[in-house]
Amino acid sequence: MSNRSGKAYALTTLCPIRNGHEGNMSFDKITRHRIQLLEEDSGSPFARIPNTYFARLFILNDVFFEQGNDVHHDHLKSKYLVFTSNFHGDLKPYLKGMWDNANDTVRSIWEHAVAFDKVRNSDDFIAYIRKCQLTTSLFFNGSTDDELRFQLKSLYIKQAFSEFVLAHQNKSTSELRTAFNEFMQQMQSDNLNDVSWIPGQTRLSHLY
Amino acid sequence: MSNVAGKAYGMNVITPLRWWTAVWQKIAFSVAEHFPVKLKGLITLSLIHYARWTIISRNSFPRLEKSQPKETLNYSYMLFESNFNGSWDQYIDSFSFAIPTGLDFFWAWNIKYPKSIPLHDFYHYIRFNQVECDHYYNAYPLASANDVKSARSLFHNLTQFNAETHDLSDEDFAVAWKKLLVSNQHALGSMGEGPAMSTSRELVLDHRCTNHKISQQRQQQEA
């Protein structure tokens, strides 16, 4: 059992939500409502958290059983905020990055979670999430475990090179060679911070 | 609010299993982890970015304060989460047809698991036990898992080609160029939006608009 596959990490957490309500809305509904109002894609708070490949939030209201009286039917006494993430690297720096870069969102989403009122700083947040963490029984990595900046940079170059090849099909070797040298300089393959996709990008910017 | 983020679908399925069979299930996962041949089918399908199975023992639901009621559960639970390319139907079809024994191996002890064939019962089982995402984020909505993997190999091949062809004659460069394109043709092609992406975005925008209206109405009522 492992949360890791190479340098990729699978974080699974169940954070209990306090039973109770504010006005006419229960705390779990308030939490869900806030989650559903989060921006998507590049506007998502997870786009600001370094090295996040994928992340999701949902509320687990109860457990389910298909019809039939041949088994006991369990019911949960608390509702749980389920937060899971796939990211590159170690858990501690990832959670610190989450606290530092999406602080308002974290405070808002977890406001009604049990014991979250004692969380004051990134160390508290890391300790809190660890208490809510479950060990992954089997983690399957069908992708890569590279740093996100590298994944985004290589995707950018893949798209740009595909367009380059298409645009230079009938060029002479010397023209092709000159253009290719310019292309590689333009790509800045050693620079992972620029000339790349941004996290959560949903539109292509065509070079050719 | 959507299970779709670009070309990826985020699936969550939670299913009960008896506490003693949860132990067997953990052993099965451990076998799969140490003998990756059991995961060969998943690798062959090639449509999954990342997936995970988490056994939640009946006594291990997090309890952080004494004031939080203690769960008294008869069963343990298995939470399955996947980030895959394509639609829900494509995913379930692919799994059921391509790796039925693998699926049965992973869900063997789950209560009322109907087995992956016939497909109709398996469809119903997954749909019944699925929980929708309230927020789903994907760092590269335009890319599939195969795009990410092929981009990595292309990056290395391209930088290597660039370093090795500086001193070649034009004739030798032309030969090397053709060789580069042939050996990397699987990595070439424009990415762009998948068909599910546009539909999803429209639904998300509609939903968000409705949520804002409800939020504004609440604020007006409270004022």
Side-chain angles (χ1 to χ4, degrees):
Chain A
M1 292 196 300
S2 175
N3 296 319
R4 292 187 164 282
S5 172
K7 290 179 181 172
Y9 196 102
L11 173 65
T12 309
T13 68
L14 259 63
C15 307
I17 299 171
R18 286 186 288 136
N19 292 322
H21 57 89
E22 191 176 272
N24 293 327
M25 280 182 90
S26 58
F27 290 140
D28 62 290
K29 282 185 180 163
I30 293 171
T31 305
R32 175 180 281 120
H33 186 68
R34 289 178 182 175
I35 294 171
Q36 291 179 350
L37 286 176
L38 293 175
E39 290 289 315
E40 306 280 330
D41 303 320
S42 57
S44 166
F46 292 106
R48 303 197 298 270
I49 302 168
N51 277 318
T52 308
Y53 302 143
F54 289 87
R56 68 185 73 179
L57 294 161
F58 63 90
I59 307 293
L60 182 64
N61 281 328
D62 206 350
V63 286
F64 324 111
F65 288 85
E66 294 199 59
Q67 287 184 344
N69 295 320
D70 51 335
V71 291
H72 295 289
H73 286 205
D74 280 342
H75 291 289
L76 297 176
K77 291 179 179 171
S78 294
K79 293 177 172 55
Y80 292 84
L81 165 61
V82 183
F83 160 53
T84 72
S85 176
N86 285 106
F87 59 86
H88 166 91
D90 294 326
L91 180 60
K92 196 173 172 183
Y94 177 74
L95 291 175
K96 185 170 187 327
M98 188 171 172
W99 179 263
D100 291 344
N101 293 287
N103 193 274
D104 289 348
T105 306
V106 169
R107 287 178 187 276
S108 170
I109 300 298
W110 270 267
E111 181 184 358
H112 298 299
V114 173
F116 193 77
D117 53 336
K118 298 180 185 69
V119 174
R120 306 267 183 242
N121 52 46
S122 60
D123 287 341
D124 292 346
F125 181 62
I126 292 165
Y128 175 86
I129 290 294
R130 279 187 164 154
K131 282 182 193 167
C132 299
Q133 185 180 8
L134 300 165
T135 304
T136 305
S137 306
L138 180 65
F139 178 27
F140 173 75
N141 180 357
S143 183
T144 76
D145 63 352
D146 295 312
E147 189 183 353
L148 178 64
R149 290 185 311 157
F150 176 78
Q151 286 184 332
L152 293 170
K153 180 80 183 190
S154 60
L155 285 166
Y156 177 88
I157 290 180
K158 172 180 151 70
Q159 177 66 31
F161 186 63
S162 299
E163 293 177 13
F164 175 89
V165 170
L166 193 64
H168 293 80
Q169 285 189 100
N170 297 317
K171 304 288 182 190
S172 68
T173 303
S174 77
E175 281 177 308
L176 173 66
R177 204 165 181 178
T178 306
F180 180 70
N181 286 337
E182 287 172 6
F183 171 80
M184 288 306 289
Q185 283 176 10
Q186 199 182 346
M187 289 300 103
Q188 300 179 33
S189 57
D190 291 337
N191 179 2
L192 298 184
N193 293 318
D194 291 311
V195 195
S196 182
W197 281 0
I198 60 167
Q201 181 171 319
T202 55
R203 291 284 182 272
L204 288 174
S205 50
H206 298 285
L207 294 180
Y208 297 94
Chain B
M1 175 195 157
S2 172
N3 293 326
V4 180
K7 288 180 178 168
Y9 187 104
M11 176 181 277
N12 315 300
V13 179
I14 185 162
T15 45
L17 65 172
R18 291 177 178 82
W19 68 266
W20 67 88
T21 59
V23 177
W24 288 110
Q25 190 73 62
K26 283 185 181 178
I27 292 170
F29 286 140
S30 185
V31 169
E33 192 175 22
H34 290 95
F35 298 95
V37 68
K38 290 280 182 190
L39 300 173
K40 195 180 170 189
L42 288 178
I43 296 165
T44 306
L45 275 177
S46 188
L47 46 74
I48 300 172
H49 289 271
Y50 305 95
R52 73 182 80 166
W53 290 258
T54 306
I55 302 287
I56 314 170
S57 302
R58 58 180 182 159
N59 296 320
S60 64
F61 278 75
R63 185 171 182 239
L64 305 182
E65 282 182 347
K66 285 184 178 174
S67 61
Q68 181 192 341
K70 190 176 181 183
E71 302 292 356
T72 50
L73 300 170
N74 293 293
Y75 302 102
S76 295
Y77 290 86
M78 188 167 90
L79 176 62
F80 169 68
E81 291 179 88
S82 182
N83 304 279
F84 60 88
N85 300 130
S87 69
W88 189 96
D89 297 73
Q90 288 169 338
Y91 187 63
I92 301 298
D93 284 357
S94 303
F95 261 52
S96 182
F97 289 125
I99 51 167
T101 50
L103 281 182
D104 294 344
F105 179 71
F106 288 146
W107 268 272
W109 289 284
N110 285 250
I111 289 172
K112 301 221 170 184
Y113 175 66
K115 293 195 181 294
S116 54
I117 295 173
L119 187 59
H120 180 267
D121 292 343
F122 183 60
Y123 256 57
H124 176 78
Y125 180 78
I126 296 295
R127 221 179 262 288
F128 187 89
N129 292 289
Q130 186 175 349
V131 189
E132 310 300 323
C133 293
D134 289 313
H135 181 75
Y136 183 43
Y137 170 74
N138 171 3
Y140 18 77
L142 297 165
S144 67
N146 281 336
D147 287 328
V148 177
K149 286 178 282 191
S150 64
R152 178 200 220 195
S153 64
L154 180 65
F155 181 94
H156 291 303
N157 293 342
L158 207 51
T159 49
Q160 188 181 357
F161 174 84
N162 190 40
E164 290 177 350
T165 54
H166 271 296
D167 299 328
L168 295 183
S169 65
D170 276 0
E171 290 74 23
D172 289 342
F173 180 89
V175 171
W177 176 257
K178 281 181 185 167
K179 195 175 169 188
L180 173 77
L181 296 191
V182 169
S183 60
N184 288 277
Q185 57 185 307
H186 64 284
L188 302 180
S190 185
M191 284 177 270
E193 295 184 15
M197 190 169 170
S198 306
T199 313
S200 164
R201 285 185 65 78
E202 286 166 16
L203 290 172
V204 166
L205 290 173
D206 281 350
H207 187 81
R208 191 179 300 155
C209 189
T210 307
N211 266 339
H212 276 299
K213 282 179 187 169
I214 294 170
S215 186
Q216 283 174 344
Q217 284 171 359
R218 272 191 66 216
Q219 285 171 358
Q220 283 171 358
Q221 285 170 358
E222 284 170 8

